[in-house]
Amino acid sequence: MSYTATTVGPPRGALTAAYTGLGLTVASIVLVFVDHATGNVLAAHIRDGYPFYSRDRIDGAATIYLSYLSVLGGLGIIGWLTTLWAIARRKRWARWLATGLVAVGTAVALFDLLVRDTSGDTGLPALIGAAGLLPGLAGLALVIMLWRRPDS
């Protein structure tokens, strides 16, 4: 179903995609905290890139990344909730909001996945960087659903 001003209710597929994106955002935040509490792939990644760092310095860098990713995740949750509200209320600007937020969120996730730090390696381990991209896939599906034309 396409998203138009004459639609009787909110498009179910779009709501499902938005809820999926919200769930994937929460899951990516949980992944970072579970990693920090268990295997700490993030700290190991920092240690591999900077073998001369002390344990305290590695822990500090991991904590900074954890804080950064938590703030990003929190902003993502706010974005998903706002988008869900706009879709459920059939706001005409919902498609523009979703498009903008998905574009910004995906750009930040790609940056986090690909940026190289001074060690020459990526700033984040691949697992954590890839997890940050998953909400963008749901976002892409959402944007496609919201922009489909009624005749398509």
Side-chain angles (χ1 to χ4, degrees):
M1 179 188 318
S2 66
Y3 187 71
T4 64
T6 59
T7 303
V8 174
R12 288 181 187 249
L15 287 174
T16 300
Y19 276 115
T20 301
L22 175 62
L24 289 170
T25 300
V26 170
S28 66
I29 296 169
V30 169
L31 171 72
V32 174
F33 279 96
V34 167
D35 171 61
H36 187 69
T38 59
N40 216 345
V41 172
L42 179 57
H45 181 77
I46 295 167
R47 186 173 25 263
D48 290 346
Y50 300 94
F52 52 88
Y53 272 15
S54 68
R55 174 91 175 151
D56 287 342
R57 196 163 181 192
I58 290 169
D59 289 344
T63 301
I64 289 170
Y65 266 122
L66 184 66
S67 300
Y68 164 73
L69 294 171
S70 296
V71 168
L72 283 181
L75 291 172
I77 289 170
I78 291 168
W80 284 114
L81 291 174
T82 304
T83 301
L84 278 161
W85 176 85
I87 293 168
R89 298 283 188 264
R90 297 186 332 235
K91 300 294 183 183
R92 300 192 97 194
W93 45 265
R95 61 179 63 166
W96 290 103
L97 174 69
T99 303
L101 290 176
V102 168
V104 169
T106 302
V108 170
L110 280 170
F111 174 81
D112 288 345
L113 177 67
L114 301 174
V115 70
R116 302 247 177 233
D117 63 17
T118 57
S119 72
D121 201 358
T122 57
L124 291 174
L127 172 68
I128 294 174
L133 277 176
L134 291 178
L137 295 176
L140 177 62
L142 170 64
V143 168
I144 290 169
M145 286 179 211
L146 292 177
W147 285 99
R148 269 193 312 191
R149 294 199 169 150
D151 58 350
S152 60

